[in-house]
Amino acid sequence: MGYFEKYYTYYIQDIWLHKRIIHCVDRDLGLVSQTVEKELKSYSSVLQQSCSSALTPTNIATAVKKIIKEEDRTKEVVVFGVDEEAGECVTTKVSTILEQLEEKPRITGCRRVGQHVTGASTKRPIIFGVKSTDVVHHILRKAKRLKDIEGFKVYISPNRTLNERISCQKLVNELKKRRLADPSGRYFIRKGKIVKADN
């Protein structure tokens, strides 16, 4: 067999081997493609089932109400310690307090919260709404001035959720403990943490 014939034979064998490799790769790609398609279909069906159960009109409406309620809460302020009288106008009482802070926001949804007990000396808190969270922050920043004004023994705070109230109460209790343990130190709450002032 001459040089050309040998070269031709190797060439044919090489082509045959390449065809075999391509055939095997095609077969493997086909298997992978089928597996991926099958998995995607099963994932898609699971996703559709879970999404359809999660995205029922009732669930969507509940989620929207919760978001709106949380949004409304961030625009509300609570006032504690305001005297309660029969036939009172709570909006006027809140306006009088805010005038002491040089704030005159548009007040909405002003109301007392909690159950009224006839003859009880408790003063139910007042919740009122304002235009934005910025107005709430302005009021809260100035609220500590009230303790220096004669005749105003009230406390103003944001309208917190139950969990936020529990966390805040824990912080206040911890603050009291630290002040008792270290009377010379000046402790206060800032951004959800107890901080000691530098002397």
Side-chain angles (χ1 to χ4, degrees):
M1 187 183 289
Y3 174 76
F4 181 74
E5 286 84 3
K6 276 187 185 179
Y7 181 75
Y8 181 74
T9 303
Y10 289 137
Y11 181 72
I12 294 297
Q13 287 175 347
D14 196 37
I15 290 174
W16 183 82
L17 283 172
H18 277 90
K19 282 184 177 179
R20 280 295 288 156
I21 290 169
I22 290 168
H23 173 72
C24 289
V25 169
D26 280 347
R27 187 192 66 216
D28 290 348
L29 282 174
L31 289 172
V32 169
S33 176
Q34 286 174 358
T35 305
V36 168
E37 190 174 339
K38 182 181 173 186
E39 292 300 321
L40 280 174
K41 280 181 181 175
S42 62
Y43 176 74
S44 175
S45 65
V46 168
L47 198 60
Q48 282 178 339
Q49 288 170 359
S50 63
C51 286
S52 63
S53 63
L55 296 176
T56 62
T58 307
N59 288 353
I60 291 171
T62 304
V64 168
K65 283 178 186 175
K66 186 177 179 183
I67 291 167
I68 290 171
K69 189 176 180 180
E70 287 302 315
E71 178 67 22
D72 287 348
R73 185 185 298 278
T74 62
K75 296 177 187 174
E76 289 181 332
V77 179
V78 184
V79 184
F80 297 91
V82 180
D83 289 331
E84 190 168 352
E85 300 145 8
E88 67 183 356
C89 177
V90 287
T91 304
T92 305
K93 289 187 173 189
V94 168
S95 295
T96 304
I97 293 166
L98 294 178
E99 281 173 15
Q100 299 300 315
L101 302 176
E102 298 171 351
E103 289 286 337
K104 292 185 179 180
R106 190 170 69 83
I107 297 169
T108 59
C110 194
R111 67 217 181 265
R112 290 230 182 231
V113 289
Q115 192 167 354
H116 177 66
V117 180
T118 309
S121 60
T122 55
K123 302 169 184 177
R124 293 181 298 155
I126 299 172
I127 293 181
F128 66 93
V130 290
K131 183 180 174 184
S132 69
T133 54
D134 287 338
V135 177
V136 171
H137 292 306
H138 283 289
I139 292 168
L140 294 174
R141 260 200 303 271
K142 294 179 178 181
K144 59 184 173 186
R145 293 185 197 171
L146 290 172
K147 65 182 179 184
D148 300 326
I149 300 172
E150 188 70 31
F152 282 92
K153 295 188 188 287
V154 297
Y155 172 72
I156 297 178
S157 80
N159 187 6
R160 298 182 175 105
T161 63
L162 178 61
N163 288 338
E164 289 170 340
R165 288 196 301 270
I166 291 168
S167 298
C168 185
Q169 189 58 53
K170 285 179 183 175
L171 268 176
V172 169
N173 291 339
E174 180 63 28
L175 179 67
K176 287 176 182 176
K177 285 179 187 174
R178 290 203 190 178
R179 285 178 174 168
L180 281 173
D182 182 14
S184 61
R186 287 179 32 235
Y187 294 92
F188 56 92
I189 297 171
R190 178 183 288 161
K191 295 181 180 178
K193 293 181 181 177
I194 297 172
V195 180
K196 184 176 182 180
D198 297 328
N199 292 332

